[in-house]
Amino acid sequence: MTSQNIYILAIESSCDDTAASVMHNGKILSNIVANQKIHEAYGGVVPELASRAHQQNIVPVVDQALKKAGINKEQLSAIAFTRGPGLMGSLLVGTSFAKSLAYGLNIPLIDVNHMQAHILAHFIDEADFEKPPFPFLAMTISGGHTQIVKVNSYFDMEVIGETIDDAVGEAFDKSGKILGLGYPAGPEIDRRAKLGNPKAYAFTKPKVDGLNFSFSGLKTAILYFVQKQVKANPNFIEEHLDDVCASIQYTIIGILIDKLKLATKQTGIKHIAIGGGVSANSGIRQALKDGEHKFGWTTYVPKFEYTTDNAAMIAIVGHLKYLEGNYADQRVMASARLKI
């Protein structure tokens, strides 16, 4: 089947970005994302506003993806869409659009698990990007998820560790809010961390058994630390912001790396792939690369534009499912808490 011209239109609408991508035989022809800036004023994603923005954006985004790919909708082989997990209102927009378009064109409909897509983004056909061999460990880190997944094959995945409270992205954003930074705070903390001393302030790492994570206690520790310092010096944040950001990032990275070290020890797997929006963090990427020399593992990091929520990663899952003839029917429903 790979000798055929397989064109997959993929739609991603799980949170606050409306995205569409066209893939041809495993290669990305277009990857369009419409961001929603409106949430910045609220310090987080407002679900109702997100779903309304998806309704406004989805038609022009899909139209732009098709035009940039240089094809028309009649050439499409299948429509892939994010079924979940995510915000229910946002998922419903993408699901309804995909079902309608597939029905109108009389072509297969393919449902995609968003978290699987973050992992399988590594298999998009890109020059100079090595694909991880099976089995490998995937660490998916985003605003809503923190997981370590044992990946045996494209669709044989086992979650062996996950957060029991906040996700790593929330840890960055909530820490940033304490420091008076805007939303999302992760990129700003990453930028400032490069300018500060990562060992200026010591924050205790949460003690969680096994491969699970916890970040809520760290957020509380940072809050109490900042309150104490500001009480003694009202200008503390302004005078020491870079060092605080560097120390926060250093602690979070330490938590992630410690769990990965334990996962490689327990499974004997030394191939580590990362995905999810937080994998764009330069400190995390560097720590993983450093681990190649320290711990003997091999790391795989996807192209930057495939780390945050995007439709290219939905397209590769759609392509792989299409090759297997693994289609959904028109009764498929969005699922906000869909599991791997």
Side-chain angles (χ1 to χ4, degrees), residues 62-199:
V62 168
D63 183 59
Q64 191 177 349
L66 288 169
K67 285 178 178 175
K68 187 173 181 183
I71 69 166
N72 57 56
K73 60 183 183 294
E74 285 74 25
Q75 292 175 263
L76 294 172
S77 307
I79 311 291
F81 70 97
T82 301
R83 183 185 171 202
L87 301 175
M88 194 61 183
S90 297
L91 291 167
L92 284 171
V93 177
T95 301
S96 300
F97 185 91
K99 288 167 72 172
S100 301
L101 187 56
Y103 184 80
L105 294 173
N106 194 27
I107 57 177
L109 178 70
I110 300 172
D111 62 310
V112 175
N113 182 305
H114 180 88
M115 299 310 295
Q116 281 189 336
H118 272 305
I119 295 170
L120 295 179
H122 289 270
F123 295 92
I124 295 171
D125 191 350
E126 283 284 341
D128 302 322
F129 280 85
E130 193 176 351
K131 298 175 177 64
F134 298 115
F136 64 91
L137 295 177
M139 185 171 70
T140 50
I141 44 179
S142 67
H145 297 85
T146 304
Q147 297 179 331
I148 298 177
V149 183
K150 183 172 176 281
V151 185
N152 300 309
S153 66
Y154 292 133
F155 300 111
D156 180 6
M157 301 182 184
E158 177 190 358
V159 177
I160 59 175
E162 61 188 336
T163 182
I164 60 175
D165 43 56
D166 290 351
V168 65
E170 290 176 285
F172 276 112
D173 289 335
K174 289 179 179 179
S175 298
K177 191 171 185 179
I178 293 167
L179 297 172
L181 302 178
Y183 173 85
E188 180 66 6
I189 290 176
D190 187 23
R191 185 184 72 81
R192 289 186 172 275
K194 297 173 185 175
L195 307 172
N197 175 9
K199 297 184 180 179

Side-chain angles (χ1 to χ4, degrees), residues 185-295:
E188 180 66 6
I189 290 176
D190 187 23
R191 185 184 72 81
R192 289 186 172 275
K194 297 173 185 175
L195 307 172
N197 175 9
K199 297 184 180 179
Y201 307 103
F203 298 110
T204 304
K205 295 178 185 176
K207 290 181 172 59
V208 183
D209 291 337
L211 297 175
N212 287 336
F213 300 85
S214 172
F215 291 100
S216 63
L218 175 62
K219 172 206 65 181
T220 304
I222 293 167
L223 174 63
Y224 290 160
F225 167 79
V226 171
Q227 287 176 338
K228 180 180 178 181
Q229 297 299 325
V230 169
K231 188 175 181 180
N233 174 13
N235 298 318
F236 173 78
I237 294 177
E238 182 181 342
E239 294 173 1
H240 302 280
L241 184 55
D242 292 345
D243 285 346
V244 176
C245 286
S247 300
I248 291 171
Q249 180 154 300
Y250 178 78
T251 305
I252 290 174
I253 291 171
I255 294 168
L256 297 176
I257 296 299
D258 285 349
K259 293 297 183 179
L260 274 180
K261 284 163 58 180
L262 182 58
T264 59
K265 183 178 180 181
Q266 288 186 2
T267 64
I269 298 171
K270 291 294 186 84
H271 294 277
I272 311 290
I274 62 167
V278 182
S279 65
N281 181 283
S282 65
I284 293 173
R285 287 175 173 239
Q286 188 58 52
L288 283 167
K289 294 304 288 185
D290 291 345
E292 292 187 334
H293 306 292
K294 292 180 182 178
F295 314 120

